[in-house]
């Protein structure tokens, strides 16, 4: 038997062929895959939630974690201490620490949650919850390349210690150089295919694959095939080591 999944000390590629769900108390009507977590050495967790044939519910306690949610398909009613929102495909949500989060998903909903302990900045209050839709966010050329475009979903403000972006490459477009940086990434391929370089390894990747890049993991991507490749990813920002 074979799998495309690779777990290394400083990076991981998690292909759908190896997914095994986790069960969490109080969660109903959904399948939860913890694709990336501190158990593999990451500084965050990345969960894929697949809602089934009935309405389902996932809940996160009000604690030190902030949460980022991105809806691939379906519909979610999200509520947290102080607010609520209904999110459809392309919808995204940030909730700050101590807010808690309940996700009520319609049948067939598919979404990703990034979950990380918020790093406070002395003298600056954590951001308040924020939501929107990727369709309303401009896709900016990446370092001048019109064929590789980035949507920055969250405000780039000091109170945020996290960013969530969508990166779309036309076939043949690439990251312009092999990045090596302190920021950590969790990534989900949303559409298309390509080749991801992680450290010294080159992996074929396609929609549905998740990737963990530890701090300083050299990384590069090239889109291949007949259609654009898009990935969702998060990174930690704005905090001194
Ligand atoms: O924001 C980033 O660091 C991004 N360019 N990295 C990546 O796509 N692997
Ligand atoms: Mn990067």
């Amino acid at each position: 038997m074979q799998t495309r999944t690779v777990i290394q000390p400083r990076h991981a590629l998690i292909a759908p062929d190896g997914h095994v769900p986790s069960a969490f108390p109080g969660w109903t009507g959904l399948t939860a895959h913890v694709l990336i977590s501190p158990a593999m050495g990451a500084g965050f967790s990345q969960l894929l939630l697949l809602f089934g044939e009935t309405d389902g519910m996932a809940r996160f306690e009000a604690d030190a974690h902030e949460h980022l949610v991105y809806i691939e398909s379906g519909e979610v009613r999200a509520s947290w201490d102080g607010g609520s929102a209904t999110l459809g495909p392309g919808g995204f949500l940030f909730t700050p620490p101590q807010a808690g989060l309940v996700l009520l998903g319609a049948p067939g909903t598919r979404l990703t949650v990034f979950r990380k302990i918020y790093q406070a900045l002395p003298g600056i209050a954590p951001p308040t919850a924020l939501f929107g839709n990727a369709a309303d966010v401009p896709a900016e050329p990446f370092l001048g390349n019109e064929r590789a475009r980035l949507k920055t979903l969250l405000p780039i403000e000091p109170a945020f210690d996290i960013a969530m972006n969508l990166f779309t490459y036309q076939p043949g477009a690439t990251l312009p150089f092999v990045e090596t940086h302190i920021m950590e990434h969790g990534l989900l391929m949303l559409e298309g295919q390509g080749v991801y370089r992680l450290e010294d390894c080159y992996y074929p990747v396609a929609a549905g694959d998740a990737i963990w890049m530890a701090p300083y993991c050299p990384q590069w991507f090239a889109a291949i095939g007949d259609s654009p490749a898009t990935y969702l990813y998060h990174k930690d920002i704005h905090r001194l080591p």
Side-chain angles (χ1 to χ4, degrees):
M1 291 294 287
Q2 296 210 327
T3 178
R4 290 192 301 109
T5 295
V6 176
I7 309 295
Q8 292 284 332
R10 308 285 306 152
H11 75 258
L13 166 65
I14 302 98
D17 59 30
H19 287 180
V20 175
S22 297
F24 297 115
W27 293 29
T28 56
L30 61 88
T31 304
H33 297 291
V34 184
L35 301 181
I36 300 172
S37 78
M40 64 168 58
F44 66 96
S45 296
Q46 180 175 333
L47 289 78
L48 177 66
L49 305 190
L50 306 172
F51 290 76
E53 292 173 4
T54 59
D55 289 349
M57 182 179 67
R59 56 168 66 244
F60 301 89
E61 299 304 323
D63 60 18
H65 292 88
E66 61 192 339
H67 294 92
L68 291 173
V69 182
Y70 182 83
I71 317 298
E72 279 186 75
S73 59
E75 189 175 273
V76 170
R77 180 76 186 157
S79 50
W80 58 92
D81 295 348
S84 63
T86 300
L87 305 167
F92 62 87
L93 168 69
F94 163 86
T95 57
Q98 309 305 339
L101 178 60
V102 176
L103 298 173
L104 297 175
T109 296
R110 181 182 163 98
L111 63 84
T112 285
V113 178
F114 297 106
R115 165 182 160 81
K116 182 178 89 56
I117 292 179
Y118 177 72
Q119 256 190 286
L121 199 58
I124 297 198
T128 54
L130 180 149
F131 57 90
N133 194 290
D136 302 323
V137 178
E140 307 287 356
F142 186 69
L143 300 180
N145 185 353
E146 305 275 341
R147 305 187 70 248
R149 287 179 174 263
L150 194 66
K151 289 191 177 199
T152 305
L153 302 182
L154 301 182
I156 303 299
E157 292 169 4
F160 284 92
D161 72 340
I162 196 165
M164 181 164 66
N165 303 333
L166 284 170
F167 210 153
T168 298
Y169 300 73
Q170 297 306 310
T174 69
L175 268 181
F177 57 93
V178 181
E179 296 182 358
T180 307
H181 51 61
I182 187 171
M183 296 80 80
E184 187 174 18
H185 292 319
L187 181 155
L188 180 69
M189 290 291 299
L190 296 180
E191 60 172 8
Q193 56 186 325
V195 173
Y196 230 105
R197 176 186 166 152
L198 303 169
E199 299 183 87
D200 293 333
C201 306
Y202 291 78
Y203 300 105
V205 295
D209 289 350
I211 294 174
W212 168 52
M213 294 171 241
Y216 298 110
C217 169
Q219 56 200 253
W220 179 81
F221 178 70
I224 59 174
D226 296 330
S227 57
T230 298
Y231 56 75
L232 170 77
Y233 71 101
H234 97 288
K235 68 196 284 188
D236 46 300
I237 55 170
H238 288 156
R239 298 295 183 268
L240 277 169

Short mmCIF file of all heavy atoms in Angstrom, two decimals, residues 129-161:
data_model
loop_
_atom_site.label_atom_id
_atom_site.label_comp_id
_atom_site.label_asym_id
_atom_site.label_seq_id
_atom_site.Cartn_x
_atom_site.Cartn_y
_atom_site.Cartn_z
N ALA A 129 -13.71 40.35 16.68
CA ALA A 129 -14.04 39.38 15.62
C ALA A 129 -14.28 40.13 14.31
O ALA A 129 -14.72 41.29 14.29
CB ALA A 129 -15.26 38.58 16.02
N LEU A 130 -14.01 39.43 13.23
CA LEU A 130 -14.11 40.06 11.91
C LEU A 130 -14.50 38.97 10.90
O LEU A 130 -14.02 37.86 10.98
CB LEU A 130 -12.74 40.62 11.58
CG LEU A 130 -12.46 41.35 10.29
CD1 LEU A 130 -11.40 42.39 10.57
CD2 LEU A 130 -11.99 40.39 9.21
N PHE A 131 -15.40 39.29 9.97
CA PHE A 131 -15.76 38.31 8.94
C PHE A 131 -15.99 39.01 7.61
O PHE A 131 -16.17 40.24 7.54
CB PHE A 131 -16.99 37.49 9.36
CG PHE A 131 -18.21 38.30 9.68
CD1 PHE A 131 -19.13 38.60 8.69
CD2 PHE A 131 -18.45 38.77 10.97
CE1 PHE A 131 -20.25 39.35 8.97
CE2 PHE A 131 -19.57 39.52 11.26
CZ PHE A 131 -20.47 39.81 10.27
N GLY A 132 -15.97 38.23 6.54
CA GLY A 132 -16.17 38.79 5.20
C GLY A 132 -16.22 37.67 4.20
O GLY A 132 -16.35 36.49 4.57
N ASN A 133 -16.09 38.05 2.90
CA ASN A 133 -16.06 37.04 1.86
C ASN A 133 -14.91 37.33 0.90
O ASN A 133 -14.71 38.49 0.51
CB ASN A 133 -17.39 37.00 1.09
CG ASN A 133 -17.48 35.74 0.26
OD1 ASN A 133 -16.78 35.56 -0.73
ND2 ASN A 133 -18.34 34.82 0.69
N ALA A 134 -14.20 36.27 0.55
CA ALA A 134 -13.03 36.42 -0.32
C ALA A 134 -13.39 37.08 -1.65
O ALA A 134 -12.55 37.74 -2.26
CB ALA A 134 -12.38 35.06 -0.55
N ALA A 135 -14.63 36.91 -2.09
CA ALA A 135 -15.04 37.50 -3.37
C ALA A 135 -14.95 39.02 -3.33
O ALA A 135 -14.83 39.67 -4.38
CB ALA A 135 -16.47 37.07 -3.69
N ASP A 136 -14.99 39.61 -2.15
CA ASP A 136 -14.95 41.07 -2.01
C ASP A 136 -13.53 41.60 -1.78
O ASP A 136 -13.35 42.80 -1.56
CB ASP A 136 -15.84 41.50 -0.84
CG ASP A 136 -17.27 41.03 -1.03
OD1 ASP A 136 -17.74 41.04 -2.19
OD2 ASP A 136 -17.91 40.63 -0.03
N VAL A 137 -12.54 40.71 -1.77
CA VAL A 137 -11.16 41.12 -1.49
C VAL A 137 -10.38 41.16 -2.80
O VAL A 137 -10.42 40.19 -3.57
CB VAL A 137 -10.49 40.12 -0.50
CG1 VAL A 137 -9.05 40.51 -0.23
CG2 VAL A 137 -11.30 40.03 0.79
N PRO A 138 -9.68 42.27 -3.10
CA PRO A 138 -8.92 42.34 -4.35
C PRO A 138 -7.76 41.35 -4.38
O PRO A 138 -7.12 41.10 -3.35
CB PRO A 138 -8.41 43.79 -4.38
CG PRO A 138 -8.49 44.27 -2.97
CD PRO A 138 -9.58 43.50 -2.29
N ALA A 139 -7.49 40.80 -5.56
CA ALA A 139 -6.37 39.88 -5.76
C ALA A 139 -5.20 40.69 -6.32
O ALA A 139 -5.21 41.08 -7.49
CB ALA A 139 -6.77 38.76 -6.71
N GLU A 140 -4.21 40.95 -5.48
CA GLU A 140 -3.08 41.81 -5.88
C GLU A 140 -1.96 40.99 -6.51
O GLU A 140 -1.64 39.90 -6.02
CB GLU A 140 -2.51 42.53 -4.64
CG GLU A 140 -3.54 43.30 -3.81
CD GLU A 140 -4.02 44.57 -4.47
OE1 GLU A 140 -3.50 44.92 -5.56
OE2 GLU A 140 -4.92 45.22 -3.91
N PRO A 141 -1.33 41.54 -7.56
CA PRO A 141 -0.17 40.84 -8.13
C PRO A 141 0.89 40.63 -7.04
O PRO A 141 1.16 41.54 -6.25
CB PRO A 141 0.34 41.80 -9.19
CG PRO A 141 -0.84 42.66 -9.54
CD PRO A 141 -1.64 42.78 -8.28
N PHE A 142 1.49 39.43 -6.99
CA PHE A 142 2.49 39.13 -5.97
C PHE A 142 3.86 39.56 -6.47
O PHE A 142 4.36 39.04 -7.46
CB PHE A 142 2.48 37.63 -5.64
CG PHE A 142 3.39 37.27 -4.50
CD1 PHE A 142 3.09 37.67 -3.21
CD2 PHE A 142 4.55 36.55 -4.72
CE1 PHE A 142 3.93 37.35 -2.15
CE2 PHE A 142 5.40 36.21 -3.67
CZ PHE A 142 5.09 36.62 -2.38
N LEU A 143 4.45 40.52 -5.79
CA LEU A 143 5.77 41.07 -6.16
C LEU A 143 5.80 41.42 -7.66
O LEU A 143 6.76 41.12 -8.36
CB LEU A 143 6.89 40.09 -5.78
CG LEU A 143 6.97 39.75 -4.28
CD1 LEU A 143 8.11 38.77 -4.01
CD2 LEU A 143 7.16 41.00 -3.43
N GLY A 144 4.69 42.01 -8.13
CA GLY A 144 4.63 42.50 -9.49
C GLY A 144 4.18 41.48 -10.53
O GLY A 144 4.03 41.82 -11.70
N ASN A 145 3.98 40.22 -10.13
CA ASN A 145 3.59 39.19 -11.10
C ASN A 145 2.07 39.13 -11.22
O ASN A 145 1.37 38.71 -10.29
CB ASN A 145 4.14 37.83 -10.64
CG ASN A 145 3.88 36.74 -11.68
OD1 ASN A 145 3.17 36.95 -12.67
ND2 ASN A 145 4.45 35.56 -11.44
N GLU A 146 1.56 39.52 -12.40
CA GLU A 146 0.11 39.52 -12.64
C GLU A 146 -0.46 38.11 -12.63
O GLU A 146 -1.67 37.93 -12.47
CB GLU A 146 -0.19 40.14 -14.02
CG GLU A 146 0.38 41.52 -14.26
CD GLU A 146 -0.54 42.60 -13.71
OE1 GLU A 146 -1.72 42.30 -13.50
OE2 GLU A 146 -0.06 43.73 -13.51
N ARG A 147 0.38 37.10 -12.84
CA ARG A 147 -0.10 35.72 -12.96
C ARG A 147 -0.03 34.96 -11.64
O ARG A 147 -0.33 33.76 -11.59
CB ARG A 147 0.68 35.00 -14.07
CG ARG A 147 0.61 35.77 -15.41
CD ARG A 147 1.22 35.03 -16.55
NE ARG A 147 0.39 33.89 -16.91
CZ ARG A 147 0.73 32.62 -16.75
NH1 ARG A 147 1.90 32.32 -16.22
NH2 ARG A 147 -0.07 31.66 -17.12
N ALA A 148 0.41 35.63 -10.59
CA ALA A 148 0.41 35.04 -9.25
C ALA A 148 -0.19 36.09 -8.33
O ALA A 148 0.43 37.13 -8.10
CB ALA A 148 1.83 34.68 -8.82
N ARG A 149 -1.39 35.85 -7.85
CA ARG A 149 -2.12 36.93 -7.15
C ARG A 149 -2.52 36.51 -5.74
O ARG A 149 -2.93 35.38 -5.50
CB ARG A 149 -3.36 37.32 -7.94
CG ARG A 149 -2.99 38.12 -9.19
CD ARG A 149 -4.21 38.50 -10.00
NE ARG A 149 -3.85 39.37 -11.09
CZ ARG A 149 -3.95 40.70 -11.05
NH1 ARG A 149 -4.42 41.31 -9.99
NH2 ARG A 149 -3.58 41.43 -12.09
N LEU A 150 -2.40 37.49 -4.84
CA LEU A 150 -2.62 37.24 -3.41
C LEU A 150 -3.81 38.04 -2.91
O LEU A 150 -3.92 39.24 -3.17
CB LEU A 150 -1.36 37.67 -2.66
CG LEU A 150 -1.20 37.21 -1.23
CD1 LEU A 150 -1.04 35.70 -1.15
CD2 LEU A 150 0.01 37.87 -0.59
N LYS A 151 -4.70 37.34 -2.20
CA LYS A 151 -5.77 38.03 -1.47
C LYS A 151 -5.43 37.97 0.01
O LYS A 151 -5.29 36.88 0.58
CB LYS A 151 -7.11 37.33 -1.70
CG LYS A 151 -7.67 37.49 -3.09
CD LYS A 151 -9.11 37.00 -3.16
CE LYS A 151 -9.68 37.25 -4.56
NZ LYS A 151 -11.14 37.23 -4.57
N THR A 152 -5.30 39.13 0.63
CA THR A 152 -4.99 39.23 2.06
C THR A 152 -6.31 39.44 2.78
O THR A 152 -6.92 40.51 2.68
CB THR A 152 -4.03 40.41 2.30
OG1 THR A 152 -2.88 40.22 1.46
CG2 THR A 152 -3.57 40.48 3.74
N LEU A 153 -6.79 38.40 3.46
CA LEU A 153 -8.16 38.44 3.97
C LEU A 153 -8.31 39.26 5.25
O LEU A 153 -9.36 39.85 5.48
CB LEU A 153 -8.67 37.01 4.20
CG LEU A 153 -8.65 36.09 2.96
CD1 LEU A 153 -9.21 34.71 3.32
CD2 LEU A 153 -9.44 36.70 1.81
N LEU A 154 -7.26 39.31 6.08
CA LEU A 154 -7.37 40.03 7.35
C LEU A 154 -6.61 41.35 7.26
O LEU A 154 -5.65 41.47 6.49
CB LEU A 154 -6.78 39.20 8.49
CG LEU A 154 -7.41 37.83 8.74
CD1 LEU A 154 -6.74 37.16 9.93
CD2 LEU A 154 -8.91 37.96 8.99
N PRO A 155 -7.02 42.34 8.07
CA PRO A 155 -6.27 43.60 8.08
C PRO A 155 -4.83 43.37 8.56
O PRO A 155 -4.60 42.55 9.45
CB PRO A 155 -7.03 44.45 9.12
CG PRO A 155 -8.32 43.77 9.35
CD PRO A 155 -8.13 42.33 9.03
N ILE A 156 -3.89 44.08 7.94
CA ILE A 156 -2.49 43.99 8.38
C ILE A 156 -2.30 45.06 9.44
O ILE A 156 -1.87 46.18 9.14
CB ILE A 156 -1.53 44.16 7.19
CG1 ILE A 156 -1.82 43.13 6.12
CG2 ILE A 156 -0.08 44.04 7.64
CD1 ILE A 156 -1.66 41.68 6.55
N GLU A 157 -2.67 44.75 10.66
CA GLU A 157 -2.57 45.68 11.79
C GLU A 157 -1.86 45.00 12.94
O GLU A 157 -1.98 43.77 13.10
CB GLU A 157 -3.98 46.09 12.25
CG GLU A 157 -4.73 46.95 11.24
CD GLU A 157 -6.21 47.11 11.61
OE1 GLU A 157 -6.61 46.62 12.68
OE2 GLU A 157 -6.93 47.71 10.81
N PRO A 158 -1.13 45.79 13.78
CA PRO A 158 -0.32 45.17 14.84
C PRO A 158 -1.10 44.28 15.79
O PRO A 158 -0.55 43.32 16.34
CB PRO A 158 0.25 46.39 15.59
CG PRO A 158 0.21 47.50 14.61
CD PRO A 158 -0.96 47.24 13.70
N ALA A 159 -2.38 44.56 16.02
CA ALA A 159 -3.15 43.75 16.95
C ALA A 159 -3.28 42.31 16.45
O ALA A 159 -3.40 41.37 17.26
CB ALA A 159 -4.54 44.35 17.16
N PHE A 160 -3.24 42.11 15.13
CA PHE A 160 -3.32 40.75 14.58
C PHE A 160 -1.94 40.11 14.62
O PHE A 160 -0.98 40.66 14.10
CB PHE A 160 -3.81 40.78 13.13
CG PHE A 160 -5.28 41.03 12.99
CD1 PHE A 160 -5.77 42.32 12.85
CD2 PHE A 160 -6.19 39.98 13.01
CE1 PHE A 160 -7.13 42.56 12.72
CE2 PHE A 160 -7.56 40.21 12.89
CZ PHE A 160 -8.03 41.51 12.75
N ASP A 161 -1.86 38.90 15.22
CA ASP A 161 -0.60 38.15 15.19
C ASP A 161 -0.66 37.04 14.14
O ASP A 161 0.17 36.14 14.12
CB ASP A 161 -0.29 37.57 16.57
CG ASP A 161 -1.19 36.40 16.92
OD1 ASP A 161 -2.28 36.27 16.32
OD2 ASP A 161 -0.81 35.61 17.82
#
